[in-house]
Amino acid sequence: MTGFGRSEVSGENCKMTVEMKSVNHRYGDISIRMPKKLSFFETQMRSLLKKYIQRGKVDVFVTYEDLSGETVELKYNQTMAQNYLDMLKRMEEEFGVKNDITTTALSRYPEVFTLEEQESDEDELWEVLQQALIQAVTAFVETRTAEGEHLYYDLTGKLDHMLDMVQMIETRSPGIVEEYRVKLEEKVKELLENNIIDDGRIAAEVTIYADKICVDEETVRLRSHIESMKKTLNMEGTVGRKLDFIAQEMNREANTILSKANDLELSNTAIDLKTEIEKVREQIQNIE
């Protein structure tokens, strides 16, 4: 299910901004992009987010801003500077050249001056980051909930339409058998002309035909699956995978009905039924 959430939280020495967005996905896939400075919080972040998100491809973007003004510190390496001076003095003595080294020149030598990043307070960083995450994911869930309400009404409408098609199949099926009986009797009369028709044989043929095209079990199971899906949609918690399984079973029954259909009207209805089931399966991928 698609969703979006954003939050910005400032602490005493830092500011965190968290943005989240998601697209439909069958499983739970959380991708986090953040500064290297915060990478050691990734496990804690994932644990927190999984309390709110179980399904969907979610991208999380974290930006960090230091507000302390003391991000780095200049360090003076006296030992390294002394080593340079000693070596320069030795060169002066060995080659008889003037040693014109100055403080400014010495400071440019490698490792004499270095910049070291100041260590941050991990507790403060996590406190600010946690607040930003919770606020962002709360807004994220709210947008998904709003979309979920629209999705619920769309799915229930499709399920009601599917029940209407199942009703049509149940109503049409007995008529097909009766039409077959009439056609079979007319064909036999045409072939036998004035000979006596064996009603028992006709009845046996009709019974065999009726058994081949009977979809009573399939429609009963299909009704049960549709009602089960309706109930599941009203359940609390994570139901997406259960709905996906029910949709697979619904599709199985529709395939069987279509394979048994020996009537144009019934075949068209079964095809429409499969189309609606496929639409439902696609929508279910949005449900957590």
Side-chain angles (χ1 to χ4, degrees):
M1 186 179 297
T2 57
F4 179 79
R6 185 182 188 279
S7 176
E8 185 177 287
V9 176
S10 296
E12 183 178 349
N13 296 308
C14 65
K15 180 171 72 174
M16 301 282 187
T17 303
V18 176
E19 291 187 359
M20 301 177 60
K21 63 179 182 179
S22 70
V23 294
N24 304 332
H25 198 271
R26 188 173 184 178
Y27 304 105
D29 180 12
I30 299 176
S31 174
I32 302 176
R33 294 179 177 86
M34 58 184 170
K36 186 177 180 181
K37 184 183 185 72
L38 305 176
S39 60
F40 52 86
F41 290 128
E42 183 172 352
T43 301
Q44 293 165 268
M45 293 171 66
R46 289 186 179 277
S47 297
L48 189 152
L49 292 172
K50 285 181 179 179
K51 294 178 181 178
Y52 297 86
I53 305 166
Q54 282 76 44
R55 206 177 192 198
K57 179 173 175 52
V58 183
D59 291 316
V60 182
F61 303 92
V62 181
T63 57
Y64 163 79
E65 182 180 347
D66 192 297
L67 303 177
S68 66
E70 299 178 357
T71 56
V72 294
E73 181 181 358
L74 183 64
K75 294 285 187 178
Y76 163 53
N77 191 331
Q78 183 179 359
T79 302
M80 184 63 69
Q82 185 63 56
N83 289 338
Y84 281 125
L85 286 174
D86 292 343
M87 294 303 293
L88 290 170
K89 185 177 181 180
R90 179 178 172 182
M91 292 171 65
E92 178 186 17
E93 294 173 351
E94 290 181 355
F95 297 105
V97 295
K98 181 181 178 181
N99 184 358
D100 57 353
I101 187 68
T102 64
T103 303
T104 302
L106 183 62
S107 67
R108 297 194 182 101
Y109 282 42
E111 305 300 326
V112 174
F113 287 144
T114 57
L115 291 175
E116 290 187 5
E117 187 174 354
Q118 295 282 63
E119 291 187 6
S120 302
D121 185 340
E122 291 186 10
D123 292 336
E124 182 191 2
L125 286 178
W126 173 241
E127 182 180 353
V128 176
L129 177 57
Q130 185 180 39
Q131 289 181 30
L133 274 174
I134 292 175
Q135 291 180 16
V137 77
T138 300
F140 174 83
V141 170
E142 287 176 356
T143 62
R144 293 181 106 192
T145 301
E147 182 184 346
E149 292 178 359
H150 295 294
L151 185 58
Y152 170 81
Y153 291 114
D154 181 65
L155 282 173
T156 52
K158 284 183 170 61
L159 293 173
D160 288 337
H161 181 47
M162 288 164 59
L163 284 174
D164 292 338
M165 287 188 281
V166 172
Q167 179 63 48
M168 181 273 162
I169 292 171
E170 292 173 335
T171 303
R172 175 62 182 152
S173 294
I176 298 173
V177 177
E178 184 57 33
E179 290 172 7
Y180 177 75
R181 175 190 288 275
V182 173
K183 290 180 180 179
L184 183 61
E185 288 179 349
E186 291 176 352
K187 189 67 175 178
V188 171
K189 284 179 181 179
E190 181 183 337
L191 293 173
L192 296 180
E193 295 183 353
N194 296 325
N195 293 333
I196 299 174
I197 299 175
D198 186 350
D199 291 335
R201 182 62 183 272
I202 293 290
E205 289 293 334
V206 172
T207 300
I208 294 172
Y209 177 76
D211 184 61
K212 287 182 178 180
I213 68 167
C214 180
V215 293
D216 291 351
E217 292 183 9
E218 287 77 11
T219 55
V220 168
R221 285 196 292 266
L222 192 48
R223 278 186 177 277
S224 176
H225 293 324
I226 293 172
E227 294 299 333
S228 177
M229 183 170 285
K230 283 187 171 184
K231 291 179 181 178
T232 304
L233 283 170
N234 288 287
M235 292 172 58
E236 298 290 337
T238 302
V239 297
R241 293 187 181 181
K242 182 177 180 180
L243 291 172
D244 193 28
F245 174 75
I246 296 173
Q248 291 179 38
E249 295 301 307
M250 290 166 60
N251 193 55
R252 194 192 316 277
E253 302 302 337
N255 281 332
T256 305
I257 292 172
L258 183 59
S259 67
K260 289 185 176 182
N262 195 21
D263 173 77
L264 181 59
E265 185 179 357
L266 198 62
S267 295
N268 289 337
T269 303
I271 291 171
D272 291 340
L273 184 59
K274 279 178 58 63
T275 301
E276 285 299 300
I277 292 173
E278 188 59 34
K279 290 178 182 178
V280 168
R281 290 186 69 180
E282 290 177 1
Q283 291 287 59
I284 285 172
Q285 305 307 315
N286 304 331
I287 298 177
E288 186 170 298

